[in-house]
Amino acid sequence: MDTWGLRYTIDCGVIEIYDGDLPPSPDSAPTGNPLARVTTGGLPFTPGVRGEGALRLYQPEIGRLIAYPGDAWVMKVTRTGQAKTWRWLSNLADPNEDDPTGNFPRLDGAVGGALLLATDLLVAGQQKNVAGFFLQFSGR
């Protein structure tokens, strides 16, 4: 991420939502079961393709990233459970397994932090808009 910065490193990626606790590091495999996937418009996400369902980021000011204006981020739920964590995968074809060398850019977080959902109880078959996504970094 030093070369390109966070925005360009994870831009046009995808968010996966899990029912497990945060893993020790984004270089670790996710914990728990995958519950849902967030894409633009609920469209399928294809690694390596920077269009269709890929999540675009917008930087309104230095140190702040938000969803690209006008893009509807839609969560498609595949398994019933309580959403606890999310993982943003870049646009690369990422196996989403342990990655001790850090070859795959990833970003993890707790549901209710940067990723806001109307409810954390998800039911298979649901398709809902994401209430919000907001990343901000401080100099501390």
Side-chain angles (χ1 to χ4, degrees):
M1 290 194 201
D2 290 344
T3 303
W4 296 100
L6 181 62
R7 176 181 174 203
Y8 292 105
T9 303
I10 64 171
D11 190 40
C12 292
V14 65
I15 296 174
E16 295 184 345
I17 300 172
Y18 299 89
D19 62 2
D21 295 327
L22 280 171
S25 147
D27 292 328
S28 302
T31 64
N33 299 300
L35 300 178
R37 182 176 261 195
V38 178
T39 64
T40 296
L43 297 171
F45 170 76
T46 305
V49 177
R50 299 184 76 76
E52 293 195 353
L55 299 173
R56 300 183 305 161
L57 290 171
Y58 176 70
Q59 186 175 354
E61 59 194 52
I62 300 286
R64 186 171 170 223
L65 294 174
I66 60 173
Y68 199 84
D71 282 2
W73 287 15
V74 177
M75 173 183 58
K76 283 188 160 185
V77 183
T78 55
R79 172 185 260 139
T80 298
Q82 182 179 1
K84 290 185 176 181
T85 59
W86 55 268
R87 170 166 284 178
W88 189 304
L89 301 167
S90 73
N91 193 260
L92 299 173
D94 185 340
N96 203 16
E97 299 170 348
D98 283 341
D99 179 27
T101 57
N103 291 321
F104 296 100
R106 303 169 180 158
L107 190 61
D108 288 345
V111 169
L115 178 67
L116 305 176
L117 304 176
T119 178
D120 62 356
L121 182 57
L122 307 181
V123 177
Q126 288 178 325
Q127 183 169 312
K128 295 184 173 201
N129 286 342
V130 171
F133 185 83
F134 177 81
L135 281 180
Q136 185 165 344
F137 302 95
S138 67
R140 291 187 268 162

